[in-house]
Amino acid sequence: GKTPMMVPKFWSKPIHGGGLMTREVAMKIGTCATPDDKGNYVRGDGCPLDERTIYFAIASYRDFQCRQTVESAFLRAKNPKRIRVGVVDQIVHGEDPGCDEPMEPCDTNPNQALCLYANQVDVFEMRADMSVGPVFARHIGHRLYRGEY
């Protein structure tokens, strides 16, 4: 039989006619870590190179070290405010920690990257027994893209 699964919608409908996106089109959708003087984060070519956002997608299958990977990405970044992480977390509830769960509670240790940058981590959680492989998980992960460069 069939098992229905809800997945995130794509960020936008295709805007490039099914072909490769031109640089001009791509540079109109990129987001910046800081807004311009009008409050716009979508600044395209007007965003300085060192402020352009970076999308980091993770397809995780029951990986107990996933949260350390996310934490490490922020800790190693020259400018962590530029990073947005999209995680497809395929876990068993009650057995596996979530990729966005800090190692310690944030009220105990608020300086953990997963506390400081929690609003920059999006997680699509799915049951591990619904997994059909890494390619499908990566596909879902790319549906979490929201205009980063």
Side-chain angles (χ1 to χ4, degrees), residues 10-61:
F10 282 112
W11 175 58
S12 72
K13 294 183 179 182
I15 57 175
H16 45 78
L20 290 176
M21 191 181 302
T22 65
R23 182 182 193 286
E24 291 76 26
V25 172
M27 293 309 296
K28 290 179 184 174
I29 62 172
T31 56
C32 212
T34 56
D36 62 15
D37 55 357
K38 295 179 183 173
N40 286 325
Y41 286 89
V42 179
R43 296 171 55 189
D45 228 357
C47 183
L49 289 175
D50 63 348
E51 291 187 26
R52 293 180 180 179
T53 53
I54 301 166
Y55 179 65
F56 178 33
I58 298 174
S60 172
Y61 181 80

Side-chain angles (χ1 to χ4, degrees), residues 2-149:
K2 292 183 180 182
T3 304
M5 177 189 290
M6 299 295 294
V7 297
K9 291 184 181 285
F10 282 112
W11 175 58
S12 72
K13 294 183 179 182
I15 57 175
H16 45 78
L20 290 176
M21 191 181 302
T22 65
R23 182 182 193 286
E24 291 76 26
V25 172
M27 293 309 296
K28 290 179 184 174
I29 62 172
T31 56
C32 212
T34 56
D36 62 15
D37 55 357
K38 295 179 183 173
N40 286 325
Y41 286 89
V42 179
R43 296 171 55 189
D45 228 357
C47 183
L49 289 175
D50 63 348
E51 291 187 26
R52 293 180 180 179
T53 53
I54 301 166
Y55 179 65
F56 178 33
I58 298 174
S60 172
Y61 181 80
R62 303 198 68 192
D63 183 0
F64 69 95
Q65 293 178 317
C66 182
R67 56 191 177 170
Q68 285 98 327
T69 300
V70 175
E71 185 93 6
S72 177
F74 286 109
L75 293 175
R76 291 172 183 238
K78 181 178 176 181
N79 183 355
K81 291 182 179 180
R82 293 180 59 193
I83 298 174
R84 197 176 74 74
V85 181
V87 180
V88 178
D89 205 5
Q90 302 163 97
I91 62 173
V92 174
H93 281 285
E95 291 182 26
D96 305 317
C99 282
D100 58 343
E101 290 179 29
M103 299 300 282
E104 302 173 51
C106 290
D107 56 353
T108 304
N109 184 357
N111 293 321
Q112 299 169 92
L114 279 168
C115 300
L116 295 171
Y117 306 106
N119 63 336
Q120 293 167 232
V121 180
D122 290 326
V123 175
F124 179 80
E125 193 175 289
M126 62 185 286
R127 293 183 357 222
D129 66 343
M130 296 287 284
S131 172
V132 292
V135 174
F136 183 65
R138 286 188 202 109
H139 167 78
I140 293 173
H142 288 289
R143 286 176 169 244
L144 298 173
Y145 167 83
R146 294 293 177 266
E148 297 78 15
Y149 281 90

